[in-house]
Each structure stands twice: as structure tokens, then as C-alpha cells.
């Protein structure tokens, strides 16, 4: 039927069959992420009203203490995951250690979640899009409290991953390893509606995203690739455009729609790269691959890196497969000095 709107709830139920092992648990988990996303979205949209709302540590005009948005987002996603009993533990960018939920209900949960509750939150004050990134695994421990090895699984073991982008509109984009679908929040009814079915990374593009300010410290191969992007060659539509928002979810989302490559290699300041493997790179790498793109650390598939720690960083090149492979080719041709990998 033309113009039939599919809501996220309807879509989750329709695709229930995608998860052979789950009898509704994963659906309930995704639904609780949806609810938390709507709550965070409401606060993010008010962020510009700081004078009225007050900043962290101050009081708003109602005399309520005001939380920083990333603390607010973190607490809401942690609570949302605990309350529906499918998740036994969560690791967050905001918390040094993982949280093993104490309730009996949660300890029977089959899943663990890793999350960057509000990535790019430094951009809130300048009204630039920010995002939440999440990753879902089946626990490896049998039952009871979640353990560290539940979280230190390679990205290939993810059963679902996604992000919410709080931008000109709010979107939830996710995969359960059966393609990637995007839902746009209709604020008038507070419902996520399927707006980007079966999202695909264009195989190539004319956008490269990197912080040029780090260029001097990049590995030689990356410098050569960026010079390649900047050369004039009409046949390959070069020079490409450099687009860098400084908010990972926003840069990734634009490149997935228009085609492009995002590069955050190791730098002098971040010798292992800046971005975190567990709750930034793995979920976006899964989405990229499910949409026909590619994600590597320059040498190795991101999803095959075995994590050694919750907050481990990695160099990241992610995007259109032909652009990532061209960058890898330059890294092979110009090995140069390697940061720690
Ligand atoms: P830089 C935001 O702080 C973030 O974690 C990502 O969202 C973003 O892609 C990156 O860091 C920006 O880092 O060093 O270019 O400011």
C-alpha cells in the first residue's frame, strides 16, 4: 500500500524472525533503546535553553539540579537496559568499569550492551549533531552477574548494533545482521517511522572526512592517500570534498548516505587512534559492513580485533569499500612509521 508508514515497533515485530534464538527478548531490548532515545532526544533538543535550564551543578528555574546531557543520557540508557530484564550488564564510555546488574531479573538476561551514550557531546554548545552508539552481544558467561569476558568479545560476535543521531531530525539506524534500516522520529506523534529502508553504503564517493589538523602526525600512507584525494583528476572526480563535523555519528551517517570515507588514524597524541573499539568502532563497523561498506584499522578488519580492555582505542578507516581499499593500498605502498596497532 502506497505511503504506508511502518513504525519501529511494527518493524521490530515484523522482523522478529530475523533473530532465530530470541523469543522476543531482542525485540524488547531494542524497544527499550527506542524509549531511552526519545527521552534523551527531548533533553538534547532543549540543550540550547541552558540559561533557563541551568548547567551542570546549577539549578534550573524550577529549582531542580541540572545534569550534564551526557551524564543524563548515560543514566537513562543504563536504567532502560536494567529495567527490561534481557540485559545482565552494560559497559559505557562514561563509566570506568562495566555495570553488572544486581537484580535477579537482570542476572537472567541473555545479553550485554556497550554504549557511547552521547558521542560528540562537546558539540552540544554549538548546536552540532551528536549521537548515541550501541552494540549488543549475547553473554558468554552462563548466568548470574555479567563478567568482563562478556564484554571483551570481537565485533564479529555482535548480534545487533546501531546509533541515534540527534540532528536536524532524530534518526535511529540499526542492524540485527540482516541489513541496515533507518527510522526518523516524527516529533508530532513521538514515533520512529521507517524512512531509510535497507540502507546501502555507496561503493565509492567524493567525500573524505578527517581532522586535517592531525595531518602532520599521520602515517605516511594516510598522508599520501589524502594527497591523492586532493589531486585533480576528472576521471575519478577528484579533488574530493573534505567534510568533517567532528561528531563521529554525523560524519558516518552522511558518508553512508552520500558515499565517503572517514579516517581517524593514529596520531602523535593518540598513538593507538582516538576512537574506542567497543562502543564506537565495532558497532559502526558492523553497520558499515551490513550496508556493503568496509571498516579497518588500516591493516585489519575492525570486527576481528580481539579487545584487551573496555576502553581500548583503535585507528579507524570506515566507509565506501572502494575508498577504504584505496587508503589501505596507500598504507601498503608507503608503510612509513606505524603507530602502535
Ligand atoms: P577530533 C568526539 O569527541 C569524538 O569522539 C567523535 O565523535 C569525533 O569523530 C572525534 O572525537 C573528533 O575528534 O580529535 O577531530 O576533535
Amino acid at each position: 500500500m502506497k505511503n504506508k508508514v511502518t513504525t519501529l515497533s511494527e518493524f521490530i515485530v515484523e522482523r522478529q524472525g530475523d533473530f532465530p534464538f530470541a523469543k522476543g527478548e531482542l525485540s524488547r531490548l531494542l524497544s527499550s533503546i527506542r524509549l531511552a532515545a526519545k527521552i534523551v532526544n527531548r533533553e538534547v533538543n532543549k540543550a540550547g535553553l541552558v540559561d533557563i535550564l541551568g548547567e551542570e551543578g546549577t539549578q534550573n528555574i524550577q529549582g531542580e539540579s541540572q545534569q550534564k546531557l551526557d551524564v543524563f543520557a548515560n543514566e537513562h540508557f543504563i536504567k532502560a537496559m536494567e529495567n527490561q530484564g534481557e540485559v545482565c550488564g552494560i559497559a559505557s564510555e562514561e563509566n570506568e568499569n562495566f555495570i553488572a546488574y544486581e537484580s535477579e531479573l537482570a542476572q537472567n538476561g541473555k545479553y550485554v550492551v556497550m554504549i557511547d551514550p552521547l558521542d560528540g557531546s562537546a558539540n552540544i554548545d554549538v548546536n552540532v549533531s551528536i549521537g548515541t552508539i550501541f552494540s549488543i552481544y549475547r553473554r558468554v558467561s552462563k548466568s548470574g552477574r555479567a563478567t568482563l569476558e562478556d564484554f571483551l568479545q570481537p565485533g564479529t560476535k555482535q548480534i545487533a548494533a546501531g546509533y541515534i543521531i540527534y540532528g536536524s531530525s532524530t534518526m535511529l539506524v540499526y542492524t540485527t545482521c540482516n541489513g541496515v534500516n533507518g527510522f526518523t522520529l516524527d516529533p508530532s506523534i513521538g514515533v520512529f517511522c521507517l524512512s531509510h529502508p535497507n540502507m546501502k553504503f555507496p561503493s565509492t564517493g567524493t567525500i573524505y572526512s578527517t581532522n586535517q589538523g592531525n595531518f602532520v602526525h599521520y602515517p605516511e600512507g594516510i598522508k599520501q592517500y589524502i594527497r591523492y584525494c586532493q589531486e585533480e583528476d576528472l576521471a575519478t572526480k577528484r579533488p574530493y570534498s573534505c567534510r568533517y563535523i567532528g561528531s563521529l555519528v554525523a560524519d558516518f551517517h552522511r558518508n553512508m548516505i552520500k558515499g565517503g570515507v572517514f579516517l581517524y588514524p593514529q596520531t602523535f597524541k593518540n598513538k593507538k587512534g582516538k576512537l574506542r573499539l567497543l562502543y564506537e568502532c565495532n558497532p559502526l563497523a558492523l553497520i558499515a559492513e551490513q550496508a556493503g561498506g568496509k571498516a579497518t584499522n588500516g591493516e585489519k578488519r575492525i570486527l576481528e580485533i580481539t579487545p584487551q580492555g573496555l576502553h581500548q582505542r583503535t585507528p579507524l578507516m570506515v566507509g565506501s569499500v572502494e575508498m577504504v581499499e584505496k587508503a589501505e593500498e596507500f598504507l601498503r605502498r608507503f608503510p612509513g612509521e606505524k603507530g602502535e596497532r
Side-chain angles (χ1 to χ4, degrees):
M1 179 202 314
K2 200 162 159 24
N3 299 336
K4 178 188 177 303
V5 170
T6 300
T7 67
L8 176 55
S9 316
E10 290 164 340
F11 187 86
I12 289 173
V13 171
E14 278 168 21
R15 303 294 283 267
Q16 182 66 50
D18 292 355
F19 333 129
F21 309 97
K23 291 176 287 305
E25 301 103 330
L26 193 54
S27 305
R28 277 192 294 279
L29 205 173
L30 289 169
S31 294
S32 53
I33 288 175
R34 179 197 63 209
L35 177 62
K38 289 201 276 194
I39 293 170
V40 170
N41 176 63
R42 183 191 61 205
E43 293 306 303
V44 166
N45 286 346
K46 291 190 296 190
L49 300 172
V50 161
D51 295 346
I52 297 175
L53 295 173
E55 291 185 330
E56 186 205 8
T58 59
Q59 296 207 327
N60 65 22
I61 47 180
Q62 289 82 18
E64 299 149 11
S65 66
Q66 181 62 22
Q67 291 178 323
K68 269 182 70 171
L69 268 179
D70 41 14
V71 173
F72 177 89
N74 192 42
E75 290 177 359
H76 270 77
F77 278 104
I78 290 171
K79 224 55 270 63
M81 294 301 99
E82 181 173 22
N83 290 343
Q84 35 77 28
E86 308 305 348
V87 175
C88 62
I90 186 168
S92 167
E93 195 260 356
E94 294 284 331
N95 298 70
E96 190 53 40
N97 295 311
F98 66 89
I99 295 170
Y101 292 129
E102 298 292 342
S103 73
E104 195 180 329
L105 171 72
Q107 290 194 18
N108 290 324
K110 295 192 178 75
Y111 304 100
V112 291
V113 172
M114 285 162 234
I115 193 160
D116 186 350
L118 209 55
D119 179 72
S121 52
N123 291 303
I124 292 173
D125 301 348
V126 295
N127 209 13
V128 162
S129 302
I130 51 181
T132 297
I133 312 171
F134 62 89
S135 174
I136 304 171
Y137 292 77
R138 242 178 240 92
R139 67 185 300 172
V140 292
S141 55
K142 290 283 163 284
S143 62
R145 291 167 58 87
T147 60
L148 184 59
E149 63 264 12
D150 288 324
F151 297 95
L152 298 186
Q153 301 183 55
T156 46
K157 298 286 190 189
Q158 291 174 98
I159 57 167
Y163 59 84
I164 298 107
I165 178 167
Y166 310 98
S168 48
S169 58
T170 295
M171 280 192 69
L172 189 153
V173 176
Y174 80 95
T175 181
T176 52
C177 301
N178 190 19
V180 178
N181 291 283
F183 299 80
T184 300
L185 182 66
D186 178 339
S188 65
I189 51 173
V191 172
F192 280 104
C193 302
L194 181 63
S195 53
H196 297 66
N198 196 24
M199 296 180 81
K200 289 290 176 208
F201 239 114
S203 59
T204 190
T206 57
I207 293 171
Y208 71 100
S209 309
T210 196
N211 182 340
Q212 289 282 155
N214 295 324
F215 183 88
V216 68
H217 296 307
Y218 281 167
E220 186 54 28
I222 297 290
K223 288 181 181 174
Q224 294 292 340
Y225 175 65
I226 289 173
R227 290 189 185 110
Y228 167 85
C229 294
Q230 294 167 338
E231 283 166 357
E232 182 145 33
D233 176 79
L234 297 184
T236 52
K237 298 181 185 162
R238 287 179 289 143
Y240 296 153
S241 298
C242 182
R243 291 282 183 275
Y244 191 71
I245 299 174
S247 186
L248 176 58
V249 172
D251 280 315
F252 178 90
H253 184 74
R254 179 209 50 242
N255 291 350
M256 182 155 70
I257 290 173
K258 292 181 176 287
V261 61
F262 175 93
L263 307 152
Y264 208 114
Q266 60 275 38
T267 63
F268 182 72
K269 204 166 130 229
N270 292 295
K271 298 226 181 314
K272 294 187 178 180
K274 173 179 184 183
L275 301 173
R276 308 298 175 84
L277 175 63
L278 288 190
Y279 39 76
E280 290 173 336
C281 300
N282 269 336
L284 294 185
L286 182 67
I287 291 171
E289 291 195 3
Q290 283 290 317
K294 186 166 186 179
T296 81
N297 67 0
E299 293 172 320
K300 188 173 183 181
R301 192 176 167 219
I302 289 287
L303 295 180
E304 289 177 354
I305 298 174
T306 302
Q308 306 301 323
L310 291 178
H311 303 288
Q312 176 175 334
R313 299 173 192 265
T314 175
L316 175 67
M317 305 195 309
V318 59
S320 296
V321 59
E322 290 173 25
M323 299 180 83
V324 173
E325 291 181 348
K326 179 60 94 175
E328 288 179 308
E329 179 195 314
F330 276 94
L331 277 168
R332 286 193 296 272
R333 283 171 52 195
F334 302 91
E337 77 287 359
K338 281 191 172 44
E340 291 164 71
R341 287 214 182 265

